[in-house]
Amino acid sequence: MLASFNTAGLITSADVHVATTLGRLGREDDDTVLLAIALTARAVRAGSICLDLATVTELPVAEALPWPDPVAWAGAVAASPLVGLGVLHWEHGLLYLDRYHEQETQVLHDLTARAASTPSYDPVVVNAALDRVFGEGHGEQQAACRGAAGQWTTVITGGPGTGKTTAVAGLLVALHEQAQAHGQGLRVALAAPTGKAAARLEEAVHGSATGFAEADRARLTGLSAMTLHRLLRPLPGNSTRFRHHRGNRLPHDVVVVDESSMVSLTMMARLLEAVRPDARLVLVGDPDQLSSVDAGAVLTDLVRGYEGRPDSPVAALRTTHRFGPEIRALAEALRLGDADAALEVLAAGHEAVEWVTDADPASQIRATALPAALAVRDAAVAGDMPRALAALDRHRLLCAHRDGPYGVHHWNRRIEQWLATETGDPLHERDYLGRPLLVTANDHALRLYNGDTGVVVATPEGGRRVAIAGSGPEPLHFAPSRLGSVETMHAMTIHKSQGSQADVVSVLLPDVESRLLTRELFYTAVTRAQQRVRVIGPEPAVRAAIERQAQRASGLRVRLAGR
């Protein structure tokens, strides 16, 4: 049976190895149970925490496979000696490998324990601070902050531009004021899953504070952000174990984690065991965006699991300030999974929302991407770093894939060909003037982070430097030879675009059969735009993206809802 599913490409030889090894160690020789184990290993690789036995037969395959009878299959799994040994766990029709069941259970227990008590809370001081900081028109942010002040765990959700970071800045001011009123200090940690997200969080918090009074801005002075890994301090040679844990807690009174949709189950478990029980934890993110590249969709599970519960720690911000009504209407249709409404917005012909359905969209992409590339190049030739970086943020071509006709590599080459034809420069040099760059690995010594963007520019001496948009007022700049982990960025993947934004965004949808084509992918791409978005793809691809959600099996939301 394993051979049949392996030949069909549904499971890999590694999945088969996991199943047969566990079967041998636990004296399990039932082929249907071994198949379930192999499919569970596959599910984890695909981002799930466990295997949903009831829906696994819906996986796309090119040929008919000998699926076991569902009732008999569930019975065999439940009766397996591997379940009795604790190697596997069978709950709510879900099959877990032990590691992920342990982590999910730990997250559930830690959240429950944190909700069993509440912090000291002075509503007079907190409300006065929030009223002063926000003024009129920020009711959602004020409500979220009041909730966060009175509980140990808070989840602040919302789409791009809904004021999540503004709420965080206001909350920190209010908590600082409360602590000072009682003669105490307040130790705050700001963190995010990636270096780029951490840099943006720090920049956004201080940017939000520019509208505060001087005394309130002073309370946030010196506040910096870091990656979750740096906050928890990984042990040498181990990426999932850290110096801060249940026996050595973080010293902070408040821990804020931005872009929480990108936090995997493993990292969430490590975070929860490291945060002091008497410290506030604020998780911030958009549950409708793409989830972590590793197993788990914890933020989405929390939002859905707490839905309808009177003790829910979730505060949802709905009013967006990033883009206009047309992009907002498209984003909302995508979020709700309403394909007809999305197509209506796309077909309306708004200036802010363009829909390209040409079978060969090259000319349409050229019309936007080439002028954008020329603007970057002109500034780079002039040696104007700020202007080159500003030009870089005017347009993004976003692709689902890295390879193939819909991929980043293909369109990077095409745009370079157009640029070479237009300028007469063959672009033979790797570091040609105006080359847009994407940093793909953190370099803490240079203060560069995965996701940073830059441009190769000319220097007055005739040399070349790479200008990088840092968190400060002036660009960072380096010799091109100092940057090892970079790639050309005339186009970039939608996954890499998370946390960034551009004036105009072109979204190239892949073929309707692409497994990457999901609602979350489409929504993430569209919400990168500030002024205009161009969707490139036929109606079947649009419908397929909206109707196909990224399904990640997990028991967390069921277990939260059932408590």
Side-chain angles (χ1 to χ4, degrees):
M1 182 174 285
L2 287 173
S4 299
F5 283 78
N6 178 234
T7 302
L10 199 60
I11 56 177
T12 66
S13 56
D15 301 328
V16 173
H17 177 71
V18 170
T20 54
T21 300
L22 291 182
R24 184 171 61 255
L25 293 174
R27 298 184 178 180
E28 173 60 80
D29 55 8
D30 187 322
D31 282 347
T32 65
V33 175
L34 298 181
L35 175 62
I37 297 171
L39 289 168
T40 302
R42 175 197 182 277
V44 170
R45 283 192 295 101
S48 291
I49 300 303
C50 51
L51 177 71
D52 186 346
L53 216 59
T55 61
V56 69
T57 57
E58 299 171 6
L59 289 171
V61 288
E63 59 188 86
L65 290 171
W67 291 103
D69 174 75
V71 176
W73 197 9
V77 169
S80 173
L82 290 170
V83 173
L85 291 169
V87 177
L88 303 177
H89 295 265
W90 175 250
E91 291 183 14
H92 308 293
L94 304 173
L95 182 63
Y96 297 81
L97 299 175
D98 179 57
R99 170 186 173 184
Y100 295 98
H101 183 269
E102 179 186 7
Q103 291 176 358
E104 184 179 281
T105 300
Q106 182 214 308
V107 168
L108 180 69
H109 288 171
D110 283 341
L111 289 172
T112 302
R114 292 178 61 80
S117 64
T118 56
S120 59
Y121 168 39
D122 188 334
V124 175
V125 173
V126 169
N127 290 341
L130 294 177
D131 289 340
R132 182 184 66 251
V133 166
F134 289 116
E136 298 293 328
H138 292 83
E140 289 181 336
Q141 282 83 1
Q142 289 200 46
C145 291
R146 289 191 183 99
Q151 57 198 14
W152 293 123
T153 306
T154 302
V155 182
I156 299 178
T157 68
T162 53
K164 298 187 296 295
T165 311
T166 301
V168 168
L171 172 66
L172 295 179
V173 168
L175 292 178
H176 268 291
E177 190 158 324
Q178 177 181 256
Q180 289 174 352
H182 292 83
Q184 301 170 344
L186 190 75
R187 292 165 294 186
V188 177
L190 300 181
T194 67
K196 182 63 174 177
R200 285 193 176 277
L201 171 61
E202 180 180 331
E203 180 183 357
V205 166
H206 290 293
S208 297
T210 56
F212 297 172
E214 183 177 350
D216 292 331
R217 287 199 306 273
R219 291 186 169 98
L220 304 180
T221 300
L223 201 58
S224 61
M226 65 186 76
T227 65
L228 272 176
H229 276 77
R230 290 192 73 188
L231 175 67
L232 299 179
R233 300 178 62 196
L235 293 172
N238 193 325
S239 62
T240 61
R241 289 292 177 182
F242 301 88
R243 296 187 187 277
H244 289 292
H245 46 73
R246 211 172 297 278
N248 181 31
R249 304 274 192 172
L250 290 165
H252 307 91
D253 304 301
V254 182
V255 177
V256 178
V257 180
D258 196 18
E259 296 290 356
S260 295
S261 65
M262 300 166 63
V263 179
S264 68
L265 176 67
T266 299
M267 281 304 295
M268 187 61 74
R270 300 294 174 255
L271 173 66
L272 283 168
E273 70 181 13
V275 175
R276 292 187 353 240
D278 59 343
R280 288 178 176 86
L281 173 63
V282 182
L283 303 175
V284 183
D286 185 350
D288 298 305
Q289 285 192 22
L290 290 165
S291 297
S292 164
V293 295
D294 295 317
V298 182
L299 183 65
T300 302
D301 287 340
L302 295 181
V303 171
R304 295 179 181 173
Y306 279 115
E307 192 173 16
R309 285 182 51 167
D311 61 343
S312 172
V314 179
L317 308 182
R318 297 295 186 195
T319 305
T320 181
H321 309 282
R322 173 180 289 187
F323 30 65
E326 294 83 11
I327 298 178
R328 186 183 308 130
L330 177 58
E332 184 66 6
L334 297 179
R335 189 182 72 81
L336 297 175
D338 190 338
D340 291 335
L343 289 166
E344 184 178 342
V345 176
L346 288 170
H350 297 296
E351 183 179 350
V353 178
E354 182 182 355
W355 187 17
V356 176
T357 59
D358 297 3
D360 182 2
S363 61
Q364 297 281 356
I365 293 175
R366 187 181 193 276
T368 304
L370 180 57
L374 287 170
V376 172
R377 178 182 170 84
D378 289 346
V381 171
D384 192 333
M385 292 184 184
R387 182 158 65 93
L389 292 171
L392 189 63
D393 284 337
R394 293 198 186 112
H395 178 256
R396 286 282 190 279
L397 173 59
L398 302 182
C399 306
H401 294 271
R402 294 184 62 82
D403 302 305
Y406 301 97
V408 166
H409 293 154
H410 171 81
W411 288 104
N412 273 331
R413 288 193 299 270
R414 290 292 297 271
I415 294 169
E416 285 181 334
Q417 290 168 0
W418 296 333
L419 193 59
T421 301
E422 188 73 17
T423 63
D425 182 348
L427 306 182
H428 290 322
E429 296 176 285
R430 189 191 70 146
D431 299 311
Y432 60 82
L433 290 175
R435 181 191 178 197
L437 295 175
L438 176 69
V439 177
T440 59
N442 294 340
D443 188 331
H444 297 294
L446 298 181
R447 292 184 295 153
L448 295 181
Y449 302 103
N450 185 1
D452 279 342
T453 56
V455 182
V456 178
V457 300
T459 65
E461 299 79 18
R464 296 182 185 185
R465 304 284 285 180
V466 176
I468 301 287
S471 57
E474 295 297 324
L476 304 174
H477 54 90
F478 309 93
S481 60
R482 296 193 67 187
L483 306 182
S485 301
V486 294
E487 59 186 39
T488 303
M489 197 198 68
H490 290 293
M492 70 188 303
T493 64
I494 297 171
H495 278 83
K496 284 287 188 182
S497 75
Q498 282 186 277
S500 68
Q501 57 192 38
D503 294 343
V504 180
V505 168
S506 297
V507 183
L508 181 60
L509 296 179
D511 184 81
V512 69
E513 299 300 326
S514 170
R515 294 185 181 182
L516 295 182
L517 187 61
T518 64
R519 185 189 306 174
E520 292 81 1
L521 185 92
F522 197 1
Y523 171 87
T524 300
V526 166
T527 53
R528 301 308 94 204
Q530 291 185 286
Q531 299 175 9
R532 185 159 65 93
V533 63
R534 167 188 286 178
V535 175
I536 304 169
E539 180 176 333
V542 172
R543 285 193 177 276
I546 296 171
E547 293 167 1
R548 187 184 301 156
Q549 278 190 281
Q551 299 293 340
R552 292 196 170 191
S554 163
L556 184 58
R557 70 185 68 173
V558 176
R559 298 167 78 179
L560 278 171
R563 294 184 75 87

